[in-house]
Amino acid sequence: MKKVERINVIMRYINNRAHFTISEIMQEFNISRSTAIRDIREIEALGMPLDAEVGRDGGYFVMRNSVLPEVRFTGNEVKALFIAFMATRNQQLPYLKSRQSLAEKLLGLISENQQDDLFHLNQILLFEGTNPNNPDLLDLSDLPHPMLEQLIQILLMDSYLLITIEEKKEIKSIPIYLLHLYREKSLWLIEGFDLQEEKKQIYPVDDLTNVIPYPSKKRLSKKKIQEKLSKQEEVINLILELGPEAIAQFKKYHPIHVSISYTNPYQTTAILRTCINVDKPKEVAEITNWLLFLGGDIRVREVPEEILEGLQERIRLYCP
């Protein structure tokens, strides 16, 4: 890493911390003590308001109520940010309207030459879901569910929620502790611990009609929730060995909770271990489709009978 780039990275590292030591800088950036001290002095000379603490456990902290120096982006950093915006432009992400103003501010921070590069990239790069005739076009289907931003705002303050969902024209209010909010197959999903049923459940954000913090008096502690989840650990019932072609398919798409472990240094073979809930026909059908998607470069070690029957039925349909 060049010195100028290293200085910029260290400045950002310091900005995100109230206190740091020379040893931490040495370890984080793999540099010598003398280099770390020189970099800190140079950063101070640039105007970053640092105050040193003496003593065995001393270090530095950023002085409060002080104006930090302007953050500058390298050419490659600007391109990385812009391409990330482009690649996720049609992905039903929250704060979609704010992204436009953010992109405009980014353009205002860079030079004309950098702007020309970004305009050129916008013309030649196309990503999945982009209209090639009008790359800037946002269809109605690009917009996320209106409850998504409200959900995220509440999550930043509290993970205990009372969610109201409409399921088969029936309104339900469910107290949950949110474990994850994720997007899979163009759908935003809530993975939460149901505080009444005391088990993990998945809820589509599209079914949400309201969400509010759950009252403190009725909450189960985080420790108790983790204890109950650990007792409900799922038993592995699907084990596959994947070859290079199957690994390539896996990288194109895989269910959010399914992962692989590589079994050689070249990452050309891997093993997959997961649990399939055979009591849910929809999950069984989805996994059956996905296994067919992986192709023939797999070796089955263990598979539930329900999945095996589904695969055999598909083969009969395809080969009458």
Side-chain angles (χ1 to χ4, degrees):
M1 184 184 296
K2 295 180 181 180
K3 180 180 178 181
V4 174
E5 292 180 357
R6 187 178 70 245
I7 293 292
N8 282 332
V9 174
I10 293 176
M11 287 176 70
R12 290 197 291 274
Y13 177 87
I14 292 171
N15 275 346
N16 293 326
R17 284 157 181 80
H19 179 272
F20 67 94
T21 65
I22 293 293
S23 297
E24 290 172 345
I25 296 294
M26 291 167 57
Q27 184 176 358
E28 181 71 22
F29 299 99
N30 194 26
I31 55 178
S32 67
R33 182 176 184 84
S34 58
T35 300
I37 291 173
R38 280 198 304 270
D39 287 350
I40 294 300
R41 286 175 178 169
E42 190 163 337
I43 288 170
E44 287 182 292
L46 289 171
M48 178 170 276
L50 300 179
D51 194 11
E53 294 177 309
V54 297
R56 184 176 179 180
D57 298 321
Y60 295 83
F61 63 90
V62 181
M63 295 172 62
R64 295 182 179 179
N65 302 320
S66 298
V67 178
L68 296 176
E70 181 182 356
V71 175
R72 297 184 182 276
F73 296 102
T74 66
N76 286 342
E77 288 172 338
V78 170
K79 293 184 183 71
L81 283 170
F82 189 72
I83 289 175
F85 281 175
M86 293 176 65
T88 57
R89 180 162 43 196
N90 306 92
Q91 298 295 319
Q92 291 188 327
L93 297 177
Y95 307 107
L96 200 59
K97 294 178 180 178
S98 299
R99 286 158 57 85
Q100 180 63 33
S101 62
L102 188 58
E104 291 172 357
K105 290 178 181 178
L106 177 62
L107 289 173
L109 291 173
I110 61 179
S111 67
E112 290 186 9
N113 287 338
Q114 288 176 319
Q115 290 181 19
D116 290 340
D117 287 344
L118 298 190
F119 289 136
H120 187 50
L121 284 174
N122 193 47
Q123 291 175 341
I124 62 175
L125 290 180
L126 291 178
F127 293 89
E128 185 178 8
T130 302
N131 185 331
N133 298 318
N134 187 352
D136 295 319
L137 178 66
L138 288 177
D139 297 324
L140 182 61
S141 59
D142 299 328
L143 300 175
H145 190 278
M147 288 297 302
L148 185 59
E149 290 186 20
Q150 181 180 339
L151 175 63
I152 291 174
Q153 286 298 112
I154 294 176
L155 282 178
L156 291 173
M157 300 180 291
D158 202 342
S159 294
Y160 290 88
L161 308 174
L162 182 64
I163 61 172
T164 304
I165 63 172
E166 184 175 355
E167 191 178 57
K168 297 178 180 178
K169 296 183 178 180
E170 183 181 354
I171 304 296
K172 297 180 181 178
S173 291
I174 306 168
I176 68 166
Y177 177 80
L178 191 135
L179 301 170
H180 297 101
L181 174 65
Y182 65 96
R183 187 171 180 269
E184 185 174 75
K185 292 188 293 187
S186 300
L187 291 175
W188 282 95
L189 301 168
I190 296 170
E191 181 185 48
F193 181 81
D194 188 319
L195 296 170
Q196 289 180 336
E197 299 289 335
E198 296 193 346
K199 63 181 182 180
K200 189 162 59 176
Q201 300 278 26
I202 305 294
Y203 309 97
V205 172
D206 284 358
D207 292 346
L208 242 64
T209 60
N210 193 31
V211 56
I212 57 173
Y214 189 57
S216 302
K217 294 181 180 179
K218 300 181 180 180
R219 296 181 179 185
L220 196 65
S221 71
K222 295 179 184 179
K223 183 178 179 181
K224 288 287 186 183
I225 291 172
Q226 291 301 326
E227 288 176 356
K228 290 182 180 294
L229 285 172
S230 63
K231 292 177 182 178
Q232 299 171 12
E233 285 185 355
E234 299 167 323
V235 178
I236 301 298
N237 59 4
L238 177 64
I239 304 176
L240 306 175
E241 294 178 9
L242 279 64
E245 294 180 7
I247 291 172
Q249 290 295 95
F250 180 92
K251 289 179 178 178
K252 291 178 183 177
Y253 169 72
H254 60 86
I256 195 78
H257 293 298
V258 176
S259 61
I260 58 175
S261 300
Y262 292 106
T263 52
N264 74 4
Y266 307 103
Q267 298 188 351
T268 55
T269 59
I271 191 164
L272 181 154
R273 294 185 177 90
T274 191
C275 174
I276 308 302
N277 189 340
V278 295
D279 295 325
K280 293 184 177 181
K282 185 176 180 180
E283 183 175 342
V284 170
E286 288 179 353
I287 290 296
T288 301
N289 291 336
W290 181 63
L291 291 178
L292 292 170
F293 168 77
L294 288 180
D297 194 18
I298 61 174
R299 181 180 176 186
V300 177
R301 284 195 190 177
E302 184 177 339
V303 63
E305 285 293 328
E306 291 82 357
I307 299 292
L308 188 58
E309 291 172 2
L311 290 170
Q312 291 170 343
E313 179 63 26
R314 298 296 175 85
I315 292 171
R316 283 196 293 268
L317 289 173
Y318 295 153
C319 305

